[in-house]
Amino acid sequence: MAAPTYHDLLEKTREQPMFQDLLRFLYEFDWIHNFVTTRFFVDEVWRHMPQEWRDVLLALTAEELNHLPFEFHKERAHFPPSLKRFLQMSHKLSLLRDQVNILGKKAVDPNLKRGMSPKKLHEVTNMSAVVMETSSKAGCDVIVDIGSGLGYLGQVLHKCYGYSVVGVEGCDGHVERAEKRSAKQDLQDGCIHNVTFNLQQTGEHLHMFHDKVSKALRYLKPCVHSQTAVQDPCQVDSKLKSERDTRCQAGVSPQDENPNLDNKYSGMQLCEKMYRGRNICLCNDVSDNTARTVVNASGMCPGGNESTQTSPNLPKNDIRQEYPGGEAETSHVHVDALSEERRVCMIGLHCCGDLTPTMLWYFLHMSSVRALCLVSCCYHKMSFDEETSEFNSFPLSEGCRIAYADMKRQHPGWSLRPVSLRLAAQETRSRWRAQTKTDHDTHVRHVAYRGILEAFFMEAEVGQLDRKVIRKADFSSFDAFSTSIVTGLDVSNEVRAEYLRHLQELHTRHVQHFCYVEVITCLQVLVQPVLETLLQLDRHTYLTDHGVTAQLVPIFQENVSPRNIALIANKQ
């Protein structure tokens, strides 16, 4: 059976989980996701697992553990009812993750592929096609790429689909490299423009952003191949053939040098230099859990994602309270159109931490931004207040806010924390299924050895070492690991020998518990999509609450790009 297309998914709405059900599940199985991995032995995580679960899960082979997240429906008579219920609920409360069949994808020119990893190429190829369809349906003529980094996505949107792009980046170095890369591709001539800007959730910065983009749009040049340069749209194709500009290759695939002007979604005929916009990028990089809220438009965060920071002077949940027309008096932050008759599609690939909530805030406040297409990541980097145990940008929607408040009222002291949201941003079950026995053994050593090190630091009262000094080879055996640890300490030989003895004693004490590492990791694989579903539905509902049509669509292959769900919105 063929995968549903993006259009099919838009036409058919699947019943979504309720916020109350998601939060009840996460509270009930809090012991699976709410702990720091390095404290595995310190907190004795396995003791929270019901004994009846231990008996059956520890008896499974590595291959059976690999397939457990996919066999929620399989009848297992020897499984306790509580475990069966857990398996079924974890599936029921998770969004669909299988990639939709994306139509209209174009091959990327070999020269344009340079510098892209296979993962990045997969993401850019698929997302550019989705952006094209989203923009066409909304009648957008400008693409603003938030967190554009080196400009890969914007360059493909221009080269293959004929869009002009404004890229917004928080890092000057990335902007400079993006400009150089565009120049090498002969794409810099008035159709792609990159700017440096750090987004913050304030009216002042919203206006600064508006002005920055408006200025960038004035640099754009109408393409001789666009409809705006021809009185009769029917003349576009003949004009392309007679006045082909070698610097403008919009719509040209590697196999066909003739620009493709047949846009089946909106009837627009656009080429690479078309009078559209450029990419605007922002970033998220929250290195600690302090309650700040800036959006640093840097295109790179660890793992190749955008990073965002938050600014210090914002009230709690500022993003939710300041929507125009809401209870807060914030009409002064609503901005007019960027320029005459410009319709913007704002996009972002791997919007990290607070970047997605900030983009949603800008999207709702800017009348010219008609469509949105973004993929989120690094949920744990959202600003978090340790004193109140609350995130500044979660929950956003009214429904989730009420359900979350009710759950915390029923269970005082409980809340979701960054460590749980870190799990939401980790690997999904598709990669878990591909793990070999060697992979499992390696993972056990990494988790167990670091867990023993954490216990050693606490018991011996030794100052924390820089974990980066631990090399991959040091995990080959515990002897190699412990020797590497004590070698880095500035102590006498006698103290070093005592530390080695202490580490070995901890290993002897906990080696019997190593078997729980992969079992609990498998349970985390089952909880991961539930956590991500909660966050994605909250953001989706936040938009629909304000009259925006929105969909959550899996646009990448999950085993290639685990963060594969795009939030796509259109202001009707």
Side-chain angles (χ1 to χ4, degrees):
M1 182 177 178
T5 65
Y6 164 49
H7 177 73
D8 294 334
L9 205 58
L10 292 178
E11 295 298 323
K12 182 179 180 181
T13 302
R14 181 199 185 202
E15 182 179 353
Q16 305 290 10
M18 300 293 291
F19 290 122
Q20 295 91 332
D21 296 332
L22 290 162
L23 290 166
R24 287 194 199 102
F25 178 89
L26 294 174
Y27 168 76
E28 181 179 356
F29 300 105
D30 181 77
W31 59 272
I32 296 177
H33 59 85
N34 190 16
F35 71 91
V36 179
T37 304
T38 55
R39 295 181 59 88
F40 192 85
F41 298 121
V42 172
D43 295 338
E44 298 185 331
V45 177
W46 63 90
R47 295 193 183 278
H48 299 284
M49 186 188 307
Q51 184 62 51
E52 58 185 2
W53 287 29
R54 298 187 214 178
D55 295 339
V56 296
L57 293 177
L58 289 176
L60 298 179
T61 65
E63 183 177 0
E64 288 172 328
L65 273 179
N66 284 0
H67 289 88
L68 187 62
F70 297 88
E71 298 178 344
F72 57 91
H73 59 281
K74 186 175 181 179
E75 180 57 36
R76 297 176 183 269
H78 62 296
F79 272 30
S82 60
L83 180 55
K84 291 180 181 179
R85 173 177 164 274
F86 168 77
L87 295 173
Q88 293 167 355
M89 289 298 293
S90 66
H91 172 74
K92 180 180 179 181
L93 296 175
S94 300
L95 290 171
L96 296 174
R97 302 301 293 257
D98 294 335
Q99 181 190 24
V100 297
N101 183 19
I102 299 173
L103 304 176
K105 287 189 293 187
K106 294 188 178 182
V108 178
D109 186 283
N111 290 328
L112 213 53
K113 292 181 184 178
R114 292 178 181 175
M116 294 191 205
S117 65
K119 175 177 178 288
K120 176 63 71 175
L121 180 61
H122 172 79
E123 293 168 343
V124 167
T125 300
N126 286 279
M127 186 162 179
S128 59
V130 172
V131 169
M132 183 276 294
E133 179 170 354
T134 302
S135 299
S136 298
K137 287 180 179 295
C140 295
D141 63 340
V142 175
I143 303 293
V144 170
D145 182 9
I146 306 302
S148 51
L150 302 184
Y152 294 128
L153 180 57
Q155 290 159 13
V156 170
L157 282 166
H158 177 60
K159 180 80 171 179
C160 298
Y161 297 98
Y163 284 94
S164 292
V165 181
V166 175
V168 179
E169 244 301 323
C171 175
D172 287 328
H174 293 154
V175 171
E176 182 179 353
R177 292 174 63 189
E179 293 287 354
K180 289 181 178 179
R181 193 173 190 278
S182 292
K184 289 181 180 179
Q185 301 292 336
D186 287 334
L187 302 178
Q188 81 285 8
D189 189 21
C191 296
I192 297 181
H193 189 70
N194 297 282
V195 299
T196 304
F197 188 77
N198 295 317
L199 266 69
Q200 298 186 31
Q201 295 172 18
T202 68
E204 179 183 1
H205 284 83
L206 180 67
H207 282 286
M208 290 170 60
F209 178 79
H210 170 273
D211 294 342
K212 195 88 169 182
V213 176
S214 294
K215 183 177 180 181
L217 295 179
R218 288 196 291 271
Y219 285 106
L220 294 179
K221 300 176 182 178
C223 176
V224 295
H225 299 156
S226 70
Q227 288 187 6
T228 58
V230 186
Q231 294 297 323
D232 182 0
C234 296
Q235 298 175 4
V236 174
D237 189 55
S238 60
K239 190 169 184 66
L240 276 170
K241 294 177 181 179
S242 62
E243 298 184 19
R244 179 177 301 165
D245 185 340
T246 58
R247 294 172 299 173
C248 181
Q249 298 295 318
V252 179
S253 67
Q255 296 80 18
D256 182 6
E257 293 183 353
N258 293 317
N260 182 356
L261 299 179
D262 183 16
N263 188 321
K264 64 181 178 181
Y265 298 102
S266 67
M268 291 184 177
Q269 294 173 322
L270 307 167
C271 77
E272 204 176 39
K273 283 191 172 182
M274 170 141 189
Y275 197 170
R276 290 200 170 182
R278 304 152 191 196
N279 307 357
I280 301 183
C281 313
L282 313 170
C283 270
N284 285 352
D285 186 14
V286 180
S287 55
D288 54 29
N289 290 327
T290 56
R292 299 174 297 156
T293 316
V294 175
V295 180
N296 178 356
S298 161
M300 301 287 182
C301 75
N305 300 321
E306 285 71 20
S307 63
T308 300
Q309 296 178 338
T310 47
S311 80
N313 300 318
L314 289 178
K316 176 73 178 74
N317 284 332
D318 179 77
I319 182 173
R320 187 182 65 244
Q321 296 170 357
E322 289 196 2
Y323 181 71
E327 295 180 1
E329 295 180 2
T330 56
S331 59
H332 63 283
V333 301
H334 194 62
V335 297
D336 295 328
L338 287 170
S339 60
E340 186 177 349
E341 298 182 355
R342 307 315 297 270
R343 296 174 68 89
V344 174
C345 177
M346 180 182 286
I347 67 173
L349 176 57
H350 297 316
C351 303
C352 183
D354 287 315
L355 180 53
T356 290
T358 301
M359 288 178 65
L360 300 185
W361 190 79
Y362 276 62
F363 173 65
L364 292 177
H365 282 74
M366 298 183 69
S367 60
S368 291
V369 181
R370 308 303 302 171
L372 180 75
C373 181
L374 61 85
V375 177
S376 302
C377 72
C378 302
Y379 308 109
H380 58 289
K381 291 186 177 181
M382 289 194 297
S383 305
F384 184 75
D385 189 331
E386 287 287 355
E387 293 185 3
T388 62
S389 296
E390 294 183 346
F391 292 92
N392 275 7
S393 300
F394 172 83
L396 295 178
S397 66
E398 187 70 7
C400 188
R401 184 185 65 81
I402 293 173
Y404 191 49
D406 287 345
M407 185 61 61
K408 292 199 295 182
R409 187 163 43 250
Q410 295 171 24
H411 306 283
W414 179 83
S415 67
L416 291 173
R417 300 181 63 82
V419 66
S420 295
L421 269 56
R422 178 182 289 275
L423 176 59
Q426 290 183 358
E427 299 289 356
T428 61
R429 64 177 188 168
S430 63
R431 290 191 179 180
W432 170 259
R433 180 165 56 181
Q435 296 293 295
T436 64
K437 186 178 184 305
T438 299
D439 293 330
H440 285 299
D441 292 342
T442 299
H443 183 252
V444 169
R445 288 197 301 274
H446 278 250
V447 172
Y449 293 178
R450 289 182 181 275
I452 289 174
L453 180 60
E454 185 72 20
F456 168 73
F457 284 144
M458 296 191 66
E459 292 186 10
E461 298 182 352
V462 178
Q464 295 283 327
L465 289 176
D466 182 356
R467 305 299 174 89
K468 294 181 180 179
V469 303
I470 306 175
R471 302 170 302 171
K472 184 177 181 180
D474 295 335
F475 289 93
S476 59
S477 68
F478 190 73
D479 287 340
F481 180 83
S482 56
T483 300
S484 173
I485 293 300
V486 300
T487 301
L489 298 176
D490 184 17
V491 296
S492 66
N493 290 335
E494 291 77 9
V495 173
R496 188 175 290 112
E498 174 59 23
Y499 285 168
L500 282 172
R501 185 204 61 77
H502 193 165
L503 284 166
Q504 190 60 52
E505 187 274 327
L506 285 169
H507 180 270
T508 302
R509 186 194 312 173
H510 290 299
V511 68
Q512 62 181 315
H513 304 129
F514 284 16
C515 58
Y516 289 108
V517 171
E518 292 305 84
V519 168
I520 292 179
T521 301
C522 181
L523 297 178
Q524 288 189 322
V525 168
L526 284 153
V527 172
Q528 182 278 325
V530 180
L531 284 161
E532 189 166 15
T533 294
L534 174 65
L535 297 169
Q536 292 280 12
L537 283 182
D538 177 45
R539 295 167 178 185
H540 170 271
T541 306
Y542 171 63
L543 292 179
T544 59
D545 283 349
H546 291 102
V548 175
T549 300
Q551 287 286 338
L552 294 168
V553 184
I555 65 173
F556 306 139
Q557 292 180 22
E558 187 183 7
N559 63 326
V560 176
S561 183
R563 305 281 73 74
N564 71 332
I565 297 177
L567 175 56
I568 301 171
N570 185 349
K571 294 177 182 175
Q572 292 184 338

